[in-house]
Amino acid sequence: MKMADNSLRVSLLVRFGLGVAALLVLDALACYYTALYFTNLVYDRWLIDSTRSLTTAIRPQDGRVAVALRPDALDVFRFDEIDKTYFKIASKNRGYIVGDKELTDLIAIPNGEPRLAYSKISGRQAREVTIQIRYQDIDDVVTVSVAETLFKRAKLTQEILLAMAAPQVGLLIAAVILSWLSIARGLKPLTDLAAELEARDHDNLSPVPLTDLPHEARVLVLRMNDLLKRISSALQAQKRFITDAAHQLRTPLAVILLHAERAERATDATAEKKALAELHVSVRRAARLSQQLLTLARSEPNAIAMEAFSSVNLTAVARQIGEEWVSIALERQIDFGLSVPDQLAIVRGNEQLLGELLSNLIDNALQYVPANGSVTVRVELRDGVVLSVEDNGPGIPEAERARIFERFYRVPGTAPEGCGLGLSIVKEIADAHDIEIMASSGHDGKGITFSVRFPNVAKGRI
Ligand SMILES: Nc1ncnc2c1ncn2[C@@H]1O[C@H](COP(=O)(O)OP(=O)(O)OP(=O)(O)O)[C@@H](O)[C@H]1O
Ligand SMILES: [Mg+2]
């Protein structure tokens, strides 16, 4: 795996490591206080025992307290390799009796219980025990204090800490290694996926397999496959369009060239005029073909997805497009009618493309209906909005209706000019709007009616 700057593995390990380090600091503090507690426990017991044994040397004698301590016994008591030990015996009546004067007594507990506390002797930190004994019969109170410096305790605490630290450090190293390995194991599906994607050819748009992927990565790959599918279909559509366009434009362009050469070579005015007339027709055909091809390219669902859909009033679209065709209908002597409701007929779509859809249906009707025929454009509000173009021309045989939406398909024997793209454009636009285009025979069984139905209409008056 490449170690990128923002590697997931490293950032997971850093977060985990920081958490472990914080826990270790807490653990070290806990260890320190535990070690200190037990060290104190052990040495405090010893200090209390020493104080108690000192108290046994005190007894009342001749009406006052006396200390029966031999100097060598005191030496034994004071012997310590590391620390300095202090003691002092004093009484209420006699004041200081024996021991180290610099030792300050603690405020004692009256019932003879030992009192333990930290104190300072000649500027040094020490641990001290004070026991008070009351002698009723001679009316005196004796205070016995014993103290020692803290070096032994510090040394033992240190030794305990060191003994505890070694396994802790081992544990930390083991935790880091284990977490590095488990993070690597956990991220394996992702790193495998990245490796597979990196190894792919740039034109390989096949879906990425979903096997062995954890849920999080599965969602990512599903979305990515979805995107790959759309890109692939857009590319295929583009390729298909370019192939179709190149193939279809070749013939009319060759014909144009032929007629132009004929016009150039014409020896008399009549031949030249005839060649020019033919040239005109072929240029018109080529122009129509390129215009239809461009409309088809714009109608591709993938291209449409890029354009904004909005609320479109189909009544207004029908009026506007209808008006554009009136003069052609008049020229061809066709009774051209428009039937729209008083209400708004709002649908969701792309106004320009819906105009193109209607234009192609009207174009066909006016093209294939003979003179004196009739063509009606309708917008109806029933079960949504229905837009239809009805004619009473020759109609289309049932058997042909499945194929007329294919690109460049024309019903065999169709005389008027055309390139076979109009209904493919209509179908592409209908598909992009997620609606179905239907072809049915006219009302009296004659002609053909093409219709599309839009759902979810917002009704209102114009
Ligand atoms: N209203 C109609 N009446 C009879 N036949 C029709 C009608 N509309 C379409 N057709 C048939 O369907 C075929 C396909 O129509 P389409 O509009 O796709 O292509 P075209 O009209 O031939 O060419 P263009 O791309 O120039 O429109 C036509 O060639 C024609 O045979
Ligand atoms: Mg047509």
Side-chain angles (χ1 to χ4, degrees):
M1 182 186 141
K2 242 196 265 169
M3 194 68 72
D5 283 349
N6 53 356
S7 153
L8 199 57
R9 194 173 174 181
V10 171
S11 90
L12 280 176
L13 194 74
V14 166
R15 274 156 209 265
F16 181 77
L18 285 178
V20 170
L23 284 178
L24 270 183
V25 169
L26 290 179
D27 186 51
L29 283 174
C31 282
Y32 174 74
Y33 284 107
T34 313
L36 198 63
Y37 172 79
F38 284 107
T39 311
N40 274 341
L41 199 72
V42 171
Y43 287 111
D44 283 353
R45 270 188 199 148
W46 179 84
L47 210 58
I48 293 169
D49 287 348
S50 304
T51 317
R52 285 219 167 98
S53 65
L54 256 188
T55 60
T56 57
I58 302 164
R59 48 189 69 98
Q61 213 172 27
D62 308 328
R64 62 178 216 157
V65 283
V67 180
L69 266 181
R70 288 204 327 272
D72 56 337
L74 274 179
D75 284 345
V76 171
F77 170 74
R78 277 194 160 136
F79 177 75
D80 195 313
E81 273 183 344
I82 302 172
D83 278 301
K84 186 161 170 44
T85 314
Y86 303 84
F87 83 96
K88 191 173 100 183
I89 302 173
S91 95
K92 193 179 74 176
N93 297 341
R94 287 185 62 188
Y96 167 80
I97 301 172
V98 68
D100 306 287
K101 280 189 178 150
E102 65 265 45
L103 192 59
T104 337
D105 299 329
L106 302 173
I107 300 163
I109 305 166
N111 61 2
E113 283 297 307
R115 179 176 194 108
L116 261 169
Y118 287 103
S119 66
K120 251 194 171 149
I121 309 160
S122 314
R124 280 189 197 158
Q125 277 282 340
R127 188 79 167 152
E128 184 174 342
V129 178
T130 298
I131 296 179
Q132 210 169 56
I133 309 157
R134 184 174 293 277
Y135 294 91
Q136 299 269 331
D137 35 349
I138 55 167
D139 186 28
D140 202 354
V141 177
V142 178
T143 309
V144 181
S145 292
V146 175
E148 67 171 0
T149 49
L150 303 175
F151 301 117
K152 242 185 350 247
R153 297 171 187 241
K155 197 164 169 255
L156 185 60
T157 313
Q158 228 170 47
E159 279 167 8
I160 297 178
L161 269 180
L162 273 178
M164 283 169 125
Q168 303 273 2
V169 170
L171 215 68
L172 174 70
I173 295 172
V176 168
I177 294 175
L178 269 180
S179 50
W180 178 256
L181 292 177
S182 19
I183 290 172
R185 181 74 202 84
L187 290 180
K188 194 168 182 306
L190 277 187
T191 47
D192 285 355
L193 184 67
E196 193 195 318
L197 289 177
E198 244 173 348
R200 272 187 170 216
D201 286 342
H202 69 280
D203 55 350
N204 179 0
L205 294 174
S206 63
V208 179
L210 285 167
T211 39
D212 293 339
L213 280 181
H215 173 72
E216 295 81 353
R218 184 175 285 262
V219 172
L220 194 79
V221 170
L222 274 175
R223 292 276 169 274
M224 199 167 73
N225 281 349
D226 207 33
L227 187 71
L228 284 176
K229 200 170 144 196
R230 277 188 281 147
I231 293 175
S232 159
S233 82
L235 275 180
Q236 264 167 20
Q238 210 176 43
K239 271 189 202 155
R240 195 158 62 111
F241 172 76
I242 292 169
T243 322
D244 283 355
H247 183 260
Q248 293 301 319
L249 280 170
R250 207 174 302 142
T251 319
L253 290 180
V255 175
I256 287 172
L257 208 63
L258 182 82
H259 290 315
E261 283 166 3
R262 265 194 204 150
E264 271 174 2
R265 281 202 307 266
T267 43
D268 60 89
T270 333
E272 192 186 63
K273 213 174 166 187
K274 190 172 169 256
L276 279 177
E278 280 166 345
L279 181 65
H280 184 100
V281 171
S282 11
V283 168
R284 204 181 60 221
R285 260 188 219 148
R288 164 82 179 165
L289 178 62
S290 12
Q291 192 221 325
Q292 289 287 74
L293 280 172
L294 283 177
T295 314
L296 188 67
R298 267 193 302 139
S299 316
E300 288 281 345
N302 292 301
I304 293 173
M306 303 292 152
E307 297 180 32
F309 269 38
S310 58
S311 295
V312 179
N313 179 13
L314 268 192
T315 306
V317 173
R319 276 187 205 284
Q320 190 210 322
I321 303 291
E323 271 165 25
E324 287 173 14
W325 288 93
V326 168
S327 51
I328 294 174
L330 272 176
E331 198 184 295
R332 293 185 191 164
Q333 296 163 19
I334 289 169
D335 175 13
F336 185 49
L338 181 70
S339 160
V340 293
D342 289 339
Q343 287 105 329
L344 290 168
I346 308 291
V347 299
R348 217 173 146 69
N350 181 293
E351 185 164 345
Q352 205 194 343
L353 292 173
L354 289 177
E356 206 74 64
L357 176 148
L358 182 58
S359 233
N360 269 290
L361 290 178
I362 298 176
D363 178 37
N364 279 352
L366 294 181
Q367 183 92 317
Y368 303 117
V369 169
N372 300 321
S374 74
V375 172
T376 310
V377 174
R378 275 200 187 85
V379 175
E380 291 161 283
L381 296 172
R382 52 176 167 96
D383 251 356
V385 180
V386 179
L387 171 71
S388 61
V389 177
E390 183 190 343
D391 70 51
N392 65 351
I396 302 170
E398 290 267 356
E400 293 290 337
R401 287 185 199 168
R403 296 204 62 192
I404 50 176
F405 296 103
E406 286 172 19
R407 286 182 184 186
F408 304 108
Y409 186 78
R410 309 197 72 212
V411 174
T414 304
E417 253 178 40
C419 32
L421 284 176
L423 287 177
S424 328
I425 294 170
V426 168
K427 172 115 176 56
E428 297 275 11
I429 297 175
D431 285 351
H433 285 77
D434 219 11
I435 52 174
E436 210 182 326
I437 166 94
M438 285 164 295
S440 53
S441 300
H443 285 317
D444 46 1
K446 279 173 78 186
I448 186 127
T449 302
F450 284 98
S451 60
V452 280
R453 181 193 301 281
F454 295 84
N456 301 331
V457 207
K459 287 187 181 142
R461 293 199 68 79
I462 296 172

